[in-house]
């Protein structure tokens, strides 16, 4: 399957703590993206990391990519209650631009 | 910028009827749009790739006669669920790639989704 596997499935933390979620895949990718989805809404693009990159930052987000292990992690630092959402990794296998989504991590940040 | 509008946001229909969902890129042109389906608490499953001016490409296991896709212009793609049944009830989400930026950025822009309930 080309679908990414994410863990944990669910994560509950307190405001101010860091949240880390992981995504693993099986075959070579062109790039890996992370998206956020609030309940019942569309998805919002967070960050993209290309296969030749190892780490990227965007505000409180830090993404790493290890192509040898075929895995990526998303770190959200100093979490806020507003970060409560589902987070999905999405894999671009260079197949016409389509993205294959992982199973998602449901993050709950308690105030 | 990069807004994708999806309509309707929710629809309830009787079994056996057809439902059309529209996906529009409001401030960019999209040669390619993607349709996803999402069940509660699950991931997005790609249904098909919609290409402007040509036939859609369906993923394995998706019935093309059941889910009709039309991409008539650079800003509009439609998904028609034909002869809907209760098992078609789901959250349908479209996404689009900006023709001018998408090749370089790789990101997709998503609509807000359409929740279909078939009675």
């Amino acid at each position: 399957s080309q679908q990414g596997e994410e863990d944990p499935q669910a994560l509950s933390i307190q405001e101010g703590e860091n949240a880390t979620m992981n995504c693993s895949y099986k075959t070579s990718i062109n790039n890996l993206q992370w998206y956020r989805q609030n309940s019942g809404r569309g998805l919002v693009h967070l960050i993209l990391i290309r296969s030749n990159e190892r780490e990227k930052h965007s505000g409180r987000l830090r993404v790493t990519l290890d192509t040898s292990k075929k895995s990526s992690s998303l770190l959200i630092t100093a979490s806020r209650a507003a970060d409560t959402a589902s987070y999905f990794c999405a894999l671009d296998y260079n197949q016409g631009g389509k993205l294959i989504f992982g199973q998602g991590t449901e993050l709950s940040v308690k105030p | 910028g990069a807004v994708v509008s999806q309509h309707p946001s929710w629809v309830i229909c009787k079994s056996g009827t057809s439902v059309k969902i529209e996906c529009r890129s409001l401030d960019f042109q999209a040669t390619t749009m993607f349709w996803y389906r999402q069940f509660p608490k699950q991931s997005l499953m790609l249904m098909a790739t919609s290409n402007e001016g040509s036939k859609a490409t369906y993923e394995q296991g998706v019935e093309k006669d059941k889910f009709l896709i039309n991409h008539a212009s650079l800003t509009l793609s439609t998904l028609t669920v034909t002869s809907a049944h209760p098992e078609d009830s789901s959250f349908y989400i479209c996404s689009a790639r900006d023709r001018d930026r998408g090749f370089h950025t790789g990101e997709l822009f998503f609509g807000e989704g359409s929740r279909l309930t078939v009675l």
Side-chain angles (χ1 to χ4, degrees):
Chain A
S1 169
Q2 290 190 314
Q3 187 177 34
E5 293 185 11
E6 292 189 59
D7 75 89
Q9 289 188 346
L11 180 60
S12 182
I13 59 175
Q14 294 293 130
E15 256 189 332
E17 294 180 340
N18 295 342
T20 300
M21 47 207 90
N22 306 292
C23 174
S24 61
Y25 56 94
K26 294 181 179 169
T27 58
S28 296
I29 56 172
N30 183 40
N31 66 67
L32 185 148
Q33 305 178 33
W34 286 91
Y35 286 81
R36 166 195 169 127
Q37 183 183 35
N38 284 56
S39 182
R41 305 291 299 274
L43 276 73
V44 175
H45 180 263
L46 296 177
I47 200 165
L48 178 153
I49 187 165
R50 300 190 185 283
S51 59
N52 61 352
E53 297 175 313
R54 293 296 168 260
E55 186 171 314
K56 284 190 84 168
H57 297 256
S58 177
R60 292 184 296 114
L61 306 180
R62 173 178 169 250
V63 168
T64 61
L65 177 64
D66 186 334
T67 52
S68 66
K69 295 181 179 178
K70 292 185 171 59
S71 68
S72 173
S73 67
L74 170 67
L75 168 67
I76 304 174
T77 60
S79 64
R80 305 166 182 168
D83 294 329
T84 294
S86 292
Y87 292 82
F88 294 92
C89 67
L91 305 166
D92 182 346
Y93 291 101
N94 202 21
Q95 295 174 348
K98 67 183 181 183
L99 295 180
I100 306 299
F101 283 81
Q103 299 144 330
T105 294
E106 194 170 338
L107 174 65
S108 174
V109 182
K110 300 187 186 311
Chain B
V3 176
V4 175
S5 173
Q6 199 171 329
H7 177 81
S9 55
W10 59 270
V11 57
I12 301 172
C13 70
K14 292 182 179 180
S15 188
T17 60
S18 294
V19 174
K20 180 185 284 188
I21 300 170
E22 293 187 348
C23 179
R24 293 180 185 272
S25 56
L26 297 186
D27 51 1
F28 65 96
Q29 293 185 324
T31 50
T32 305
M33 290 183 173
F34 304 92
W35 286 94
Y36 291 85
R37 179 176 183 175
Q38 185 180 34
F39 291 107
K41 300 289 187 182
Q42 293 190 25
S43 184
L44 284 75
M45 298 305 296
L46 180 64
M47 299 175 66
T49 301
S50 169
N51 297 299
E52 186 265 337
S54 64
K55 291 183 179 180
T57 303
Y58 290 82
E59 294 298 304
Q60 193 171 13
V62 177
E63 300 176 59
K64 60 181 180 181
D65 295 330
K66 172 82 174 165
F67 300 100
L68 300 180
I69 292 173
N70 186 307
H71 194 151
S73 76
L74 287 173
T75 59
L76 173 65
S77 176
T78 60
L79 167 68
T80 301
V81 183
T82 62
S83 186
H85 291 283
E87 57 265 30
D88 297 325
S89 298
S90 188
F91 193 52
Y92 293 88
I93 309 177
C94 73
S95 63
R97 185 177 299 276
D98 185 325
R99 182 186 67 170
D100 297 322
R101 294 190 298 163
F103 180 77
H104 301 290
T105 66
E107 69 182 284
L108 294 182
F109 301 100
F110 282 82
E112 285 294 299
S114 299
R115 186 164 302 283
L116 170 64
T117 301
V118 184
L119 302 177

